[in-house]
Amino acid sequence: MKSLSTPKTSDLSLPSGSYIYSLRPASDCLAAISSDDSLRAFDPETLKLRPGGVLEHVHEGVTCIKSIDAEGKTLATGGRDGAIRCWDLRSGKKVAEFEAGNANASILSLDCSPHRGTIAAGTELAHSQAALIMWDIRSSVKPQLLYVESHNDDITELQFHPTDRSLLLSGSTDGLVNIYNTNITEEEDALHQIINHGSSIHFAGFLNELDIFALSHDESLSMYQLANPDKDVEEPSPTIFGDVRTKLNCEYIGGVLRTTEGAVIGAGSHRYTHQGNASMLALALNHFSKQQLELITLRRAPEWRFDETSNIRLQGAHGDDIIRSIYADERHNVIYTGGEDGHVRAWKPPEDIQDLETGGTVKTSGKLRDRTLKDGRFKPY
């Protein structure tokens, strides 16, 4: 167990009471979207805002952010206003805009494929349709693809395959994880694989060319494999962990990070309770909470299992606030977290920890259909 504490911290000059929803790497900085509907670019070393680094009101209710190009010079954001907007961080200008067209349904998920020059968006359920839409980044006039029949509830996750860019994964609150061959226009024919996870999808994605994970809003985790196109080959049985909160001694899962060996799970706790006055959640989980985020390795050798011998503990985490986003900078060996306290924190782990590849973003679970807080802030999944 390696325990990290006293991280660098910054509020990015956000208004009081703001949440940080998501952190993303850019060309020479990091970017954050937050509940004040801004996009903020800041220096990864000092955590100070870049000159001209605050883009105000990028949406009426910003929800998600992704990089469009491999260099991270342009970022795409989605919002409750049904729009996807692309931003050049060097000039601070909007360079493209796409409209969902599904009665301006909220955009809940995004992914981009720089190699194909495409951007994909998933919408909330509106007028009995949850739409998966793809555009050519160079032309925002008309979508390349529109799939509206495969999910019957909000599309909360999208991810292109790491090597076969024609394959696109989607996850939804209907409990399904779908894999599409986006070279095929007809939706029924495009469905390469349907995975019934059984409960509302919080996170899902490819860990490598073959392995797929799915984590539900009730923190149930399962591992699957990409189906072989040869129909005579039987699909392997999934590895089902169930609700991992008790097993990992935590209150929520703050993210899933891909690694060279599998994944790292961000197991978070944010309510500190004394033994004589335990919260109902702590009692239900049969432990007394600590304020921390623990990064726990999940690897397959040969079966999927948690390896807790090399855990990294971010002591104190974000206090009694939930961590919404985790990004691991492998090159500089730093872990960044953003939370409901409106702060970004940079944690410097020991020099021998260098296998975290990609960041994960919390879409906080809770009452799934009520995504607006009392003060009007968007509540991601």
Side-chain angles (χ1 to χ4, degrees):
M1 170 72 70
K2 297 178 175 67
S3 185
L4 311 181
S5 58
T6 61
K8 289 183 181 179
T9 185
S10 172
D11 65 3
L12 303 183
S13 300
L14 283 164
S16 177
S18 298
Y19 285 14
I20 290 176
Y21 291 155
S22 183
L23 302 174
R24 295 297 301 177
S27 56
D28 59 351
C29 63
L30 292 178
I33 55 170
S34 53
S35 58
D36 70 334
D37 290 338
S38 68
L39 169 61
R40 294 171 186 256
F42 60 96
D43 186 278
E45 178 64 29
T46 65
L47 304 188
K48 292 182 178 179
L49 289 170
R50 290 292 179 90
V54 179
L55 306 184
E56 303 279 4
H57 305 298
V58 293
H59 290 275
E60 292 296 328
V62 66
T63 58
C64 47
I65 181 172
K66 286 292 177 70
S67 298
I68 283 185
D69 51 35
E71 297 80 18
K73 295 177 181 179
T74 308
L75 298 179
T77 57
R80 285 187 292 171
D81 50 13
I84 301 98
R85 300 188 175 112
C86 303
W87 308 92
D88 184 334
L89 291 184
R90 295 164 297 182
S91 66
K93 302 294 186 181
K94 181 178 69 174
V95 294
E97 182 168 347
F98 308 87
E99 295 290 340
N102 185 21
N104 289 326
S106 295
I107 302 297
L108 300 181
S109 51
L110 283 176
D111 201 17
C112 305
S113 177
H115 303 285
R116 296 187 66 190
T118 55
I119 184 169
T123 75
E124 72 173 350
L125 186 69
H127 303 287
S128 302
Q129 285 188 342
L132 193 163
I133 315 167
M134 277 182 54
W135 294 267
D136 185 324
I137 293 173
R138 297 159 295 185
S139 175
S140 59
V141 177
K142 184 179 179 180
Q144 283 183 325
L145 288 175
L146 177 64
Y147 300 150
V148 296
E149 298 176 354
S150 302
H151 287 296
N152 57 28
D153 212 336
D154 303 350
I155 299 174
T156 55
E157 187 74 280
L158 287 176
Q159 188 184 110
F160 282 99
H161 190 273
T163 56
D164 186 348
R165 301 295 179 173
S166 66
L167 296 181
L168 177 63
L169 175 151
S170 66
S172 168
T173 55
D174 62 10
L176 298 181
V177 175
N178 291 337
I179 313 294
Y180 303 89
N181 181 346
T182 59
N183 288 331
I184 301 173
T185 304
E186 181 62 37
E187 183 170 355
E188 183 176 354
D189 297 333
L191 269 173
H192 174 87
Q193 183 176 2
I194 300 173
I195 298 169
N196 188 354
H197 186 64
S199 54
S200 173
I201 297 298
H202 186 183
F203 297 116
F206 297 103
L207 294 179
N208 48 51
E209 294 184 0
L210 184 63
D211 293 306
I212 298 167
F213 78 92
L215 180 78
S216 61
H217 287 97
D218 60 9
E219 316 297 17
S220 292
L221 175 68
S222 293
M223 314 301 291
Y224 305 91
Q225 285 195 0
L226 184 65
N228 191 311
D230 184 350
K231 295 183 180 179
D232 294 331
V233 176
E234 185 176 351
E235 190 172 320
S237 299
T239 300
I240 301 174
F241 289 99
D243 187 340
V244 294
R245 286 174 293 183
T246 301
K247 181 176 181 58
L248 301 182
N249 196 30
C250 68
E251 295 173 54
Y252 67 95
I253 301 302
V256 179
L257 311 181
R258 188 172 66 226
T259 73
T260 55
E261 296 183 337
V264 163
I265 308 297
S269 298
H270 67 110
R271 295 188 182 98
Y272 185 80
T273 59
H274 298 285
Q275 187 166 353
N277 186 29
S279 69
M280 292 300 292
L281 178 58
L283 289 172
L285 296 177
N286 196 29
H287 75 285
F288 300 103
S289 175
K290 302 179 179 69
Q291 294 175 342
Q292 65 185 35
L293 182 78
E294 202 157 323
L295 302 177
I296 303 171
T297 299
L298 176 65
R299 59 168 53 97
R300 186 170 64 171
E303 302 296 326
W304 284 104
R305 63 181 181 85
F306 290 104
D307 179 2
E308 301 187 48
T309 61
S310 57
N311 291 3
I312 305 173
R313 177 177 294 166
L314 309 186
Q315 195 63 49
H318 284 244
D320 58 3
D321 289 294
I322 289 174
I323 290 174
R324 292 247 184 157
S325 186
I326 309 168
Y327 169 66
D329 183 344
E330 183 186 21
R331 180 181 175 186
H332 297 99
N333 208 23
V334 182
I335 299 167
Y336 297 90
T337 55
E340 294 186 356
D341 57 355
H343 284 76
V344 172
R345 294 189 174 181
W347 310 77
K348 184 71 173 177
E351 294 300 323
D352 60 335
I353 301 170
Q354 299 179 3
D355 66 343
L356 298 180
E357 289 185 345
T358 58
T361 298
V362 154
K363 287 163 276 184
T364 305
S365 56
K367 190 175 181 181
L368 300 179
R369 301 300 302 173
D370 181 12
R371 294 185 300 279
T372 304
L373 301 182
K374 292 181 180 179
D375 60 3
R377 290 175 296 197
F378 174 70
K379 185 177 181 182
Y381 287 93

